[in-house]
Short mmCIF file of all heavy atoms in Angstrom, two decimals:
data_model
loop_
_atom_site.label_atom_id
_atom_site.label_comp_id
_atom_site.label_asym_id
_atom_site.label_seq_id
_atom_site.Cartn_x
_atom_site.Cartn_y
_atom_site.Cartn_z
N PRO A 1 108.19 107.14 118.10
CA PRO A 1 109.35 106.94 117.24
C PRO A 1 108.91 106.65 115.80
O PRO A 1 109.64 106.06 115.03
CB PRO A 1 110.00 105.72 117.85
CG PRO A 1 108.82 104.89 118.29
CD PRO A 1 107.75 105.86 118.69
N VAL A 2 107.69 107.07 115.49
CA VAL A 2 107.10 106.75 114.19
C VAL A 2 107.52 107.80 113.15
O VAL A 2 107.60 108.99 113.44
CB VAL A 2 105.58 106.70 114.30
CG1 VAL A 2 104.93 106.60 112.93
CG2 VAL A 2 105.15 105.51 115.16
N VAL A 3 107.79 107.35 111.93
CA VAL A 3 108.06 108.24 110.81
C VAL A 3 106.95 108.02 109.79
O VAL A 3 106.74 106.90 109.31
CB VAL A 3 109.42 107.93 110.17
CG1 VAL A 3 109.66 108.84 108.95
CG2 VAL A 3 110.55 108.13 111.18
N LYS A 4 106.22 109.08 109.47
CA LYS A 4 105.14 108.99 108.49
C LYS A 4 105.52 109.77 107.24
O LYS A 4 105.82 110.97 107.30
CB LYS A 4 103.83 109.53 109.05
CG LYS A 4 102.69 109.48 108.03
CD LYS A 4 101.34 109.93 108.63
CE LYS A 4 100.77 108.84 109.52
NZ LYS A 4 99.40 109.15 109.96
N ILE A 5 105.50 109.09 106.11
CA ILE A 5 105.83 109.68 104.81
C ILE A 5 104.53 109.80 104.03
O ILE A 5 103.81 108.82 103.89
CB ILE A 5 106.84 108.80 104.05
CG1 ILE A 5 108.12 108.64 104.88
CG2 ILE A 5 107.14 109.37 102.68
CD1 ILE A 5 108.78 107.32 104.70
N THR A 6 104.23 111.00 103.55
CA THR A 6 103.03 111.23 102.78
C THR A 6 103.39 111.60 101.34
O THR A 6 104.20 112.50 101.13
CB THR A 6 102.18 112.35 103.40
OG1 THR A 6 101.84 112.02 104.73
CG2 THR A 6 100.89 112.57 102.60
N ILE A 7 102.85 110.87 100.37
CA ILE A 7 103.13 111.13 98.98
C ILE A 7 101.81 111.42 98.28
O ILE A 7 100.85 110.65 98.35
CB ILE A 7 103.78 109.89 98.31
CG1 ILE A 7 104.99 109.40 99.10
CG2 ILE A 7 104.20 110.24 96.87
CD1 ILE A 7 105.61 108.15 98.57
N ASN A 8 101.75 112.58 97.61
CA ASN A 8 100.54 112.91 96.84
C ASN A 8 100.38 111.90 95.72
O ASN A 8 101.35 111.53 95.05
CB ASN A 8 100.69 114.32 96.28
CG ASN A 8 99.38 114.80 95.70
OD1 ASN A 8 99.01 114.43 94.60
ND2 ASN A 8 98.69 115.65 96.44
N ASN A 9 99.16 111.44 95.51
CA ASN A 9 98.94 110.42 94.50
C ASN A 9 99.20 110.88 93.09
O ASN A 9 99.37 110.06 92.18
CB ASN A 9 97.52 109.84 94.62
CG ASN A 9 97.43 108.75 95.68
OD1 ASN A 9 98.45 108.31 96.20
ND2 ASN A 9 96.21 108.34 96.00
N SER A 10 99.25 112.20 92.86
CA SER A 10 99.62 112.70 91.52
C SER A 10 101.05 112.34 91.18
O SER A 10 101.43 112.27 90.02
CB SER A 10 99.42 114.23 91.45
OG SER A 10 100.29 114.88 92.36
N VAL A 11 101.89 112.12 92.21
CA VAL A 11 103.27 111.69 92.00
C VAL A 11 103.33 110.21 91.66
O VAL A 11 104.15 109.77 90.84
CB VAL A 11 104.12 111.97 93.27
CG1 VAL A 11 105.53 111.42 93.12
CG2 VAL A 11 104.16 113.45 93.59
N LEU A 12 102.45 109.41 92.27
CA LEU A 12 102.51 107.96 92.14
C LEU A 12 101.66 107.38 91.04
O LEU A 12 102.04 106.36 90.43
CB LEU A 12 102.10 107.32 93.48
CG LEU A 12 102.99 107.55 94.68
CD1 LEU A 12 102.39 106.94 95.92
CD2 LEU A 12 104.37 106.98 94.45
N PHE A 13 100.47 107.98 90.78
CA PHE A 13 99.50 107.32 89.90
C PHE A 13 98.87 108.33 88.92
O PHE A 13 98.75 109.50 89.23
CB PHE A 13 98.34 106.71 90.72
CG PHE A 13 98.80 105.78 91.81
CD1 PHE A 13 98.86 106.23 93.13
CD2 PHE A 13 99.17 104.48 91.53
CE1 PHE A 13 99.27 105.38 94.15
CE2 PHE A 13 99.57 103.62 92.54
CZ PHE A 13 99.63 104.06 93.85
N LYS A 14 98.44 107.81 87.77
CA LYS A 14 97.58 108.59 86.88
C LYS A 14 96.15 108.53 87.43
O LYS A 14 95.82 107.64 88.21
CB LYS A 14 97.63 108.02 85.46
CG LYS A 14 98.97 108.26 84.76
CD LYS A 14 98.94 107.73 83.34
CE LYS A 14 100.19 108.15 82.59
NZ LYS A 14 101.43 107.66 83.19
N SER A 15 95.33 109.47 87.03
CA SER A 15 93.96 109.56 87.56
C SER A 15 93.20 108.24 87.32
O SER A 15 93.17 107.71 86.19
CB SER A 15 93.22 110.70 86.87
OG SER A 15 91.89 110.76 87.33
N GLY A 16 92.62 107.69 88.40
CA GLY A 16 91.85 106.48 88.30
C GLY A 16 92.64 105.22 88.14
O GLY A 16 92.07 104.12 88.03
N SER A 17 93.97 105.30 88.13
CA SER A 17 94.82 104.14 87.90
C SER A 17 95.41 103.63 89.21
O SER A 17 95.61 104.39 90.14
CB SER A 17 95.95 104.50 86.93
OG SER A 17 96.89 103.44 86.85
N SER A 18 95.71 102.33 89.24
CA SER A 18 96.40 101.74 90.41
C SER A 18 97.77 101.22 90.02
O SER A 18 98.36 100.41 90.74
CB SER A 18 95.54 100.64 91.01
OG SER A 18 95.31 99.59 90.07
N TYR A 19 98.28 101.68 88.87
CA TYR A 19 99.65 101.31 88.46
C TYR A 19 100.62 102.45 88.79
O TYR A 19 100.37 103.62 88.45
CB TYR A 19 99.69 101.03 86.95
CG TYR A 19 98.88 99.81 86.55
CD1 TYR A 19 97.58 99.96 86.08
CD2 TYR A 19 99.41 98.53 86.67
CE1 TYR A 19 96.82 98.85 85.75
CE2 TYR A 19 98.66 97.42 86.33
CZ TYR A 19 97.35 97.58 85.86
OH TYR A 19 96.63 96.47 85.53
N VAL A 20 101.68 102.13 89.49
CA VAL A 20 102.63 103.15 89.93
C VAL A 20 103.38 103.72 88.73
O VAL A 20 103.91 102.97 87.90
CB VAL A 20 103.64 102.58 90.94
CG1 VAL A 20 104.65 103.63 91.38
CG2 VAL A 20 102.91 101.99 92.16
N ASN A 21 103.39 105.05 88.62
CA ASN A 21 104.14 105.71 87.53
C ASN A 21 105.61 105.31 87.56
O ASN A 21 106.23 105.28 88.66
CB ASN A 21 104.02 107.22 87.66
CG ASN A 21 102.62 107.74 87.47
OD1 ASN A 21 101.82 107.14 86.74
ND2 ASN A 21 102.28 108.83 88.13
N SER A 22 106.17 105.04 86.41
CA SER A 22 107.61 104.69 86.36
C SER A 22 108.46 105.84 86.87
O SER A 22 109.55 105.62 87.40
CB SER A 22 108.01 104.31 84.94
OG SER A 22 107.75 105.41 84.04
N SER A 23 107.97 107.08 86.73
CA SER A 23 108.73 108.24 87.19
C SER A 23 108.86 108.29 88.72
O SER A 23 109.71 109.00 89.25
CB SER A 23 108.07 109.54 86.71
OG SER A 23 106.73 109.64 87.17
N ALA A 24 108.02 107.50 89.41
CA ALA A 24 108.09 107.48 90.87
C ALA A 24 108.95 106.35 91.39
O ALA A 24 109.17 106.23 92.62
CB ALA A 24 106.67 107.35 91.45
N HIS A 25 109.49 105.52 90.52
CA HIS A 25 110.27 104.37 90.95
C HIS A 25 111.53 104.78 91.69
O HIS A 25 111.93 104.13 92.68
CB HIS A 25 110.60 103.47 89.77
CG HIS A 25 109.46 102.66 89.29
ND1 HIS A 25 109.59 101.54 88.48
CD2 HIS A 25 108.11 102.79 89.49
CE1 HIS A 25 108.40 101.02 88.24
NE2 HIS A 25 107.49 101.78 88.81
N ASN A 26 112.21 105.84 91.23
CA ASN A 26 113.43 106.25 91.91
C ASN A 26 113.15 106.68 93.35
O ASN A 26 113.90 106.35 94.27
CB ASN A 26 114.10 107.40 91.16
CG ASN A 26 114.79 106.93 89.89
OD1 ASN A 26 115.04 105.75 89.72
ND2 ASN A 26 115.06 107.85 88.98
N LEU A 27 112.04 107.42 93.53
CA LEU A 27 111.67 107.87 94.85
C LEU A 27 111.39 106.70 95.77
O LEU A 27 111.88 106.61 96.91
CB LEU A 27 110.45 108.77 94.76
CG LEU A 27 109.89 109.33 96.06
CD1 LEU A 27 110.92 110.23 96.75
CD2 LEU A 27 108.61 110.10 95.80
N LEU A 28 110.59 105.72 95.28
CA LEU A 28 110.28 104.54 96.08
C LEU A 28 111.52 103.68 96.29
O LEU A 28 111.64 103.01 97.33
CB LEU A 28 109.17 103.76 95.41
CG LEU A 28 107.79 104.44 95.39
CD1 LEU A 28 106.79 103.60 94.63
CD2 LEU A 28 107.29 104.73 96.80
N GLY A 29 112.43 103.70 95.34
CA GLY A 29 113.68 102.96 95.53
C GLY A 29 114.51 103.52 96.65
O GLY A 29 115.10 102.75 97.44
N GLU A 30 114.57 104.85 96.79
CA GLU A 30 115.27 105.46 97.91
C GLU A 30 114.63 105.06 99.23
O GLU A 30 115.31 104.77 100.21
CB GLU A 30 115.26 106.99 97.77
CG GLU A 30 116.13 107.52 96.64
CD GLU A 30 117.62 107.35 96.94
OE1 GLU A 30 117.97 107.23 98.12
OE2 GLU A 30 118.41 107.33 95.99
N LEU A 31 113.32 105.08 99.25
CA LEU A 31 112.60 104.70 100.46
C LEU A 31 112.83 103.23 100.77
O LEU A 31 113.01 102.86 101.94
CB LEU A 31 111.09 104.98 100.27
CG LEU A 31 110.17 104.61 101.44
CD1 LEU A 31 110.62 105.33 102.73
CD2 LEU A 31 108.75 104.98 101.11
N ALA A 32 112.86 102.39 99.76
CA ALA A 32 113.10 100.94 99.97
C ALA A 32 114.49 100.73 100.57
O ALA A 32 114.65 99.88 101.45
CB ALA A 32 112.96 100.20 98.64
N ASN A 33 115.47 101.49 100.11
CA ASN A 33 116.81 101.36 100.67
C ASN A 33 116.82 101.69 102.16
O ASN A 33 117.52 101.04 102.96
CB ASN A 33 117.79 102.26 99.93
CG ASN A 33 118.09 101.75 98.53
OD1 ASN A 33 117.96 100.54 98.27
ND2 ASN A 33 118.46 102.64 97.66
N LEU A 34 116.05 102.72 102.54
CA LEU A 34 115.97 103.07 103.94
C LEU A 34 115.32 101.96 104.75
O LEU A 34 115.80 101.57 105.82
CB LEU A 34 115.15 104.37 104.10
CG LEU A 34 114.81 104.76 105.54
CD1 LEU A 34 116.06 105.14 106.32
CD2 LEU A 34 113.80 105.91 105.54
N ILE A 35 114.23 101.39 104.21
CA ILE A 35 113.53 100.32 104.91
C ILE A 35 114.46 99.11 105.07
O ILE A 35 114.50 98.48 106.15
CB ILE A 35 112.26 99.91 104.15
CG1 ILE A 35 111.23 101.10 104.16
CG2 ILE A 35 111.61 98.67 104.73
CD1 ILE A 35 110.08 100.92 103.22
#
C-alpha cells in the first residue's frame, strides 16, 4: 500500500545546494496537503 514519489533534484535544488528552490514550494505544498 506504499506510494513512492520521486522528484528530480533539478526541480528542488540548485547544483551543490541543500536549500529548496522557492519555485518548488507549491509542489511540496500540494504534497503536504495530501500528507
